[in-house]
Amino acid sequence: MNDNHPAGHGPTRELTVADVLALPVLAAGQPQVVTGVPHLDRPVGWVHITELTDPASFLKGGELVLTTGMPLPEDAAGVRRYVDELADVGAAALVIELVRRYHRPPDALVDACRLRGLPLVTLAKDVNFLEVTQVVHALLLGNQADAMRRTQRIHEAFTALTLRGAGPEDVVRAAAEMSGRTVVLENLVHQALICEPSGLTVEEALADWEQRSRATGPGDGTATRGPEGWLTASVEYQGERWGRVAMLPARTDGPMFGPEDVTLLERTAMALTVARLIHPTPWERSAHRNALLDLVEQRHRSAEDARARCAALGLPTDRHHFVAALVDLRAGKGGAETESRLWQELRTAGIPALVGELAPGRLGILLALRVSQPWRPIVERLSGAVLSLAPGAVVSAGSEVADLTDTARSFREAARVAEATPPGQPLPPDRSFHELSDIGLRRLLYALREDTRIQEYTERRLRRLIDHDTQHGTDLLTTLRHYLDAAGNKTTAARRGGLSRETMYQRLRTIERLLGRDLEAGDQRTELHVALTALDVMRAD
């Protein structure tokens, strides 16, 4: 490691006055900061040695000025003019050696530097100024070369993202990883569509997002804006603005945004523009889909993060209750059209909701309703709109939950209802959607039809009867079905089967012998009824 490199100075941070004073080549002179301590974080862009009475004419700003004090004017007015010129041009600091002309800094110089906020540093021992310039300039040039390499890596990374057709989530994630900052993509109504936190939690990044975003006023170009100092850039194409990407400052007092951050955010905005052009799905729909998946799969780090994420998308999370619904398009087609229709119905009804595709052919809906607002009429309205477009679709609803973090349960219930709804299942007489109360034994067994335990149970209970019918051409299975459907009434069963009572009695005895069961026992009739219903469900499927 280079001993002249300032301790803790990373490759992405500018060299400051404090960094230069910490260098061994200057520390040997026993530097003492006389004025301007709060300004030691000023960046140093160059070192300038001067013995002129008007050094400012050779400066551009950001220089650390080294002098032996020989050219300082004798009078106080001249000293003030000397300091004013340095401060006006933006010099980073003035370093004076107390070896030749002075052994303590003149009072006029101290007063003038303090008045202008210019750091004044004295050196008690002789220092080789030329060596100071060589060390500092080597560091500065090295930083510039590093910055150029990092900028090149930024361009290469985003070019690769664009060439492989990366989506907006990939672009924002890359920006957050490369910058080490939280990056957020929002739409024109200040809804946070994508958030990649870095150094912040989702709750910290998105809390009261709309209010904070509106306080960060719009503007052209990439710049730091608003009371929180966000670095923002517009995402637009041919004059049409689609949204804005924001890079948030660090939670702690870290370095402010630099030129590399500006370059990074500009390339992010460009990559998002390309992503929007090549990916037809609107950003809002992708954002809703991702938010729904996070809720369904419980991928949020905390309940607070979940609430902040949904609130930033415009979904109320306080003083509301929630209901999940699923739309299964059994034909697997028309998802985009159905989703658009759902959006339209929800906007017309003024119901805040999240809508998105959870899986191919399955749309998820999360309704946020006021506590006193009934949910069934809303789901009924949505179901009617869906069935008008896709008559074979199935709409299922979960139960109402009081907290956003419980919506995963409502979605699980809706999914169980959908799984227990076979094709062509008649709708309840009073509505056009299905819910948990609709699931009876037949639909429960339909949902479990692929479970090997159900299959084994059915086979164990009915195999001998089925084998007998196959070998002898009988139809005892139908006789058993009539008997069980008649709740054990032999007369009713005989009439339904078109049999005489004697024939019915004979067949029932044969069934009891083959199955080893007592058909007069209620529990054994129940076991056979479950097995026969499961068999009918599996055969129908």
Side-chain angles (χ1 to χ4, degrees):
M1 179 182 292
N2 189 338
D3 291 338
N4 287 319
H5 199 288
H9 178 68
T12 60
R13 189 165 67 84
E14 293 180 297
L15 202 63
T16 65
V17 174
D19 292 332
V20 175
L21 297 181
L23 294 171
V25 68
L26 261 179
Q30 298 179 358
Q32 180 180 359
V33 181
V34 181
T35 67
V37 173
H39 305 297
L40 295 181
D41 59 349
R42 287 180 177 175
V44 174
W46 207 245
V47 176
H48 185 73
I49 304 172
T50 183
E51 301 299 339
L52 300 176
T53 57
D54 58 342
S57 59
F58 296 93
L59 305 179
K60 293 183 178 180
E63 293 88 356
L64 187 79
V65 178
L66 303 177
T67 181
T68 62
M70 299 299 292
L72 282 178
E74 295 286 348
D75 59 308
V79 171
R80 286 195 299 273
R81 182 174 61 253
Y82 182 91
V83 172
D84 285 342
E85 290 180 358
L86 291 179
D88 290 342
V89 80
L94 174 64
V95 179
I96 181 172
E97 189 181 68
L98 302 179
V99 175
R100 293 169 177 80
R101 181 178 176 183
Y102 298 107
H103 296 286
R104 70 179 186 87
D107 292 339
L109 180 63
V110 174
D111 292 341
C113 289
R114 181 175 291 114
L115 182 64
R116 293 304 304 270
L118 179 68
L120 173 64
V121 181
T122 61
L123 299 175
K125 293 186 177 181
D126 190 24
V127 169
N128 187 327
F129 284 174
L130 181 58
E131 185 179 354
V132 173
T133 62
Q134 289 174 336
V135 170
V136 175
H137 291 170
L139 289 173
L140 291 171
L141 292 174
N143 277 356
Q144 290 175 7
D146 288 343
M148 291 179 65
R149 285 191 291 269
R150 289 192 296 273
T151 299
Q152 181 63 27
R153 286 197 293 269
I154 290 171
H155 288 295
E156 291 173 352
F158 279 92
T159 298
L161 284 170
T162 300
L163 290 177
R164 69 178 176 86
E169 294 87 358
D170 297 324
V171 173
V172 175
R173 186 180 304 113
E177 290 174 352
M178 296 182 71
S179 66
R181 314 262 192 168
T182 295
V183 180
V184 180
L185 172 67
E186 66 172 10
N187 61 12
L188 296 179
V189 294
H190 302 277
Q191 292 177 344
L193 305 179
I194 303 173
C195 173
E196 280 294 333
S198 181
L200 301 172
T201 65
V202 172
E203 182 191 12
E204 289 170 330
L206 297 182
D208 300 319
W209 177 263
E210 181 177 348
Q211 178 182 353
R212 294 162 57 208
S213 176
R214 291 186 183 278
T216 305
D220 296 327
T222 304
T224 304
R225 298 182 173 91
E228 297 182 38
W230 293 0
L231 183 65
T232 67
S234 296
V235 182
E236 56 187 45
Y237 178 68
Q238 293 184 344
E240 181 184 1
R241 187 168 293 182
W242 291 331
R244 180 170 67 171
V245 60
M247 184 181 290
L248 308 189
R251 176 169 48 189
T252 56
D253 296 332
M256 295 302 293
F257 299 114
E260 292 172 35
D261 296 311
V262 173
T263 299
L264 177 61
L265 202 63
E266 288 175 345
R267 285 308 308 266
T268 301
M270 291 173 59
L272 286 170
T273 297
V274 175
R276 172 119 181 181
L277 292 172
I278 64 177
H279 293 284
T281 304
W283 287 342
E284 287 77 7
R285 294 192 183 181
S286 296
H288 278 224
R289 177 198 64 208
N290 293 336
L292 283 174
L293 287 171
D294 287 346
L295 288 171
V296 171
E297 300 175 10
Q298 297 180 297
R299 297 189 301 206
H300 290 287
R301 292 185 178 181
S302 67
E304 291 74 17
D305 280 4
R307 294 188 186 97
R309 179 77 182 89
C310 293
L313 284 172
L315 188 80
T317 57
D318 294 326
R319 296 185 296 277
H320 280 70
H321 63 272
F322 306 90
V323 173
L326 296 175
V327 176
D328 282 290
L329 303 168
R330 296 297 169 95
K333 298 179 180 179
E337 185 179 3
T338 303
E339 188 174 350
S340 297
R341 181 64 180 273
L342 288 172
W343 279 97
Q344 179 183 348
E345 290 294 329
L346 289 166
R347 283 194 297 267
T348 303
I351 303 298
L354 298 179
V355 180
E357 186 181 51
L358 300 181
R362 170 171 283 187
L363 299 176
I365 308 166
L366 179 62
L367 302 174
L369 304 168
R370 298 184 303 276
V371 174
S372 60
Q373 190 173 14
W375 62 269
R376 285 183 174 82
I378 302 300
V379 177
E380 178 67 30
R381 177 174 180 169
L382 296 177
S383 181
V386 168
L387 293 177
S388 67
L389 285 174
V394 171
V395 180
S396 54
S399 59
E400 178 183 340
V401 295
D403 192 272
L404 184 71
T405 55
D406 292 330
T407 54
R409 173 166 58 86
S410 188
F411 273 110
R412 282 196 300 270
E413 292 173 352
R416 288 171 184 167
V417 174
E419 292 166 0
T421 304
Q425 175 70 35
L427 287 164
D430 57 339
R431 50 188 156 81
S432 58
F433 65 91
H434 303 269
E435 56 179 312
L436 277 173
S437 59
D438 300 328
I439 300 179
L441 176 62
R442 180 174 294 273
R443 292 179 63 172
L444 176 63
L445 291 172
Y446 175 79
L448 300 174
R449 65 195 182 279
E450 295 180 1
D451 192 314
T452 56
R453 290 170 296 180
I454 297 295
Q455 295 172 5
E456 289 173 355
Y457 175 84
T458 303
E459 184 70 9
R460 189 168 61 250
R461 286 287 181 267
L462 300 176
R463 184 184 70 247
R464 291 181 180 177
L465 194 61
I466 296 171
D467 290 345
H468 184 277
D469 281 346
T470 302
Q471 294 170 8
H472 298 89
T474 56
D475 196 11
L476 295 179
L477 198 66
T478 301
T479 300
L480 178 62
R481 181 180 293 107
H482 288 155
Y483 175 74
L484 295 175
D485 288 344
N489 188 308
K490 299 182 179 65
T491 302
T492 302
R495 185 173 63 252
R496 289 179 177 178
L499 303 173
S500 67
R501 293 184 61 182
E502 287 300 323
T503 303
M504 173 60 67
Y505 292 158
Q506 180 184 359
R507 290 191 177 187
L508 290 177
R509 286 194 294 270
T510 302
I511 292 172
E512 287 181 323
R513 177 175 54 81
L514 289 171
L515 298 181
R517 315 299 289 175
D518 180 7
L519 295 182
E520 295 296 330
D523 59 336
Q524 295 188 30
R525 280 209 308 265
T526 300
E527 291 175 1
L528 291 173
H529 182 67
V530 170
L532 189 57
T533 303
L535 180 66
D536 290 343
V537 164
M538 287 184 277
R539 285 182 170 180
D541 185 59

